[in-house]
């Protein structure tokens, strides 16, 4: 039979001794660094998990801040739009008031101009009527005074009306 298939007592002894030596050497030199590396890895995994949790919390905080900023920006936008609308309304009202005032001023100036033009036209009509009356009177007097007899009678009449003192 094959000695590997059915081990003898000496082989078993040496296998146990070898196992114990390897176990001693491993516990003395390898297990501490292996266990240390495993603990470090476990610590690194715990640190990474805590950092991931911290990052998750920071992301939630950032998201909340972003929502708050968006809300504030919307409120600010609404306020700016309201202010702009009020300013536009005020500007329109001011322009309307100025236009009304300017229109009233122009109407008053036109009224004054019409009155002045009317006075000037009346004065011109009076002057024209006076000139026309004088022209008509002159023509009538010339017609009447064409003969010498009528002229002497008129002079006599004027002299009688005039009192010389």
């Amino acid at each position: 039979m094959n000695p590997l298939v059915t081990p003898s007592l000496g082989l078993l002894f040496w296998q146990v001794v070898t196992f114990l030596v390897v176990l001693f050497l491993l516990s003395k030199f390898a297990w501490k660094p292996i266990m240390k590396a495993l603990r470090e890895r476990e610590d690194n995994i715990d640190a990474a998990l805590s950092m991931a949790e911290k990052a998750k919390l920071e992301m939630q905080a950032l998201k909340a801040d972003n929502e708050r900023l968006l809300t504030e920006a919307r409120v600010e936008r609404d306020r700016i739009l309201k202010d702009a609308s009020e300013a536009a309304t005020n500007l329109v009202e001011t322009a309307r008031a100025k236009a009304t005032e300017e229109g009233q001023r122009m109407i008053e100036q036109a009224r004054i101009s019409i009155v002045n033009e009317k006075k000037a036209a009346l004065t011109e009509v009076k002057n024209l009527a006076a000139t026309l009356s004088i022209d008509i009177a002159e023509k009538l007097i010339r017609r009447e005074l064409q003969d010498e007899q009528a002229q002497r009678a008129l002079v006599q009449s004027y002299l009688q009306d005039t009192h010389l003192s």
Side-chain angles (χ1 to χ4, degrees):
M1 283 207 162
N2 192 350
L4 288 177
V5 175
T6 53
S8 64
L9 191 60
L11 182 60
L12 279 176
F13 172 76
W14 286 113
Q15 281 182 344
V16 168
V17 169
T18 306
F19 176 74
L20 289 176
V21 168
V22 169
L23 183 65
F24 173 75
L25 288 175
L26 282 176
S27 68
K28 190 78 172 161
F29 298 107
W31 280 28
K32 285 183 183 177
I34 289 173
M35 291 305 281
K36 183 180 174 187
L38 286 175
R39 264 188 248 110
E40 285 177 4
R41 184 171 177 172
E42 186 177 316
D43 291 341
N44 286 340
I45 290 172
D46 286 341
L49 287 174
S50 69
M51 285 176 51
E53 187 65 30
K54 201 187 254 186
K56 181 180 175 185
L57 293 175
E58 286 179 13
M59 288 298 288
Q60 288 175 347
L62 286 174
K63 187 176 179 183
D65 282 346
N66 284 343
E67 289 297 323
R68 182 184 53 79
L69 287 174
L70 279 173
T71 305
E72 288 175 3
R74 286 184 185 119
V75 167
E76 183 70 15
R77 179 200 63 199
D78 290 343
R79 186 189 61 78
I80 289 171
L81 287 175
K82 181 183 173 195
D83 290 347
S85 176
E86 288 175 1
T89 302
N90 288 341
L91 186 63
V92 166
E93 289 300 320
T94 303
R96 184 176 292 140
K98 281 185 179 179
T100 302
E101 182 181 309
E102 183 68 20
Q104 292 296 331
R105 188 183 61 78
M106 290 175 74
I107 288 172
E108 188 60 31
Q109 283 180 346
R111 191 173 290 135
I112 291 170
S113 177
I114 289 171
V115 167
N116 290 339
E117 291 291 327
K118 183 179 176 184
K119 287 179 182 177
L122 285 175
T123 303
E124 188 177 335
V125 166
K126 286 179 184 176
N127 289 339
L128 185 61
T131 303
L132 191 59
S133 296
I134 291 173
D135 286 345
I136 291 172
E138 182 183 342
K139 287 180 183 177
L140 283 174
I141 291 176
R142 281 188 189 184
R143 186 175 287 162
E144 283 187 21
L145 298 179
Q146 281 186 355
D147 71 31
E148 215 174 291
Q149 202 64 319
Q151 285 178 5
R152 284 180 192 229
L154 184 62
V155 169
Q156 284 300 324
S157 138
Y158 282 150
L159 286 175
Q160 286 175 1
D161 289 340
T162 310
H163 301 296
L164 294 174
S165 352

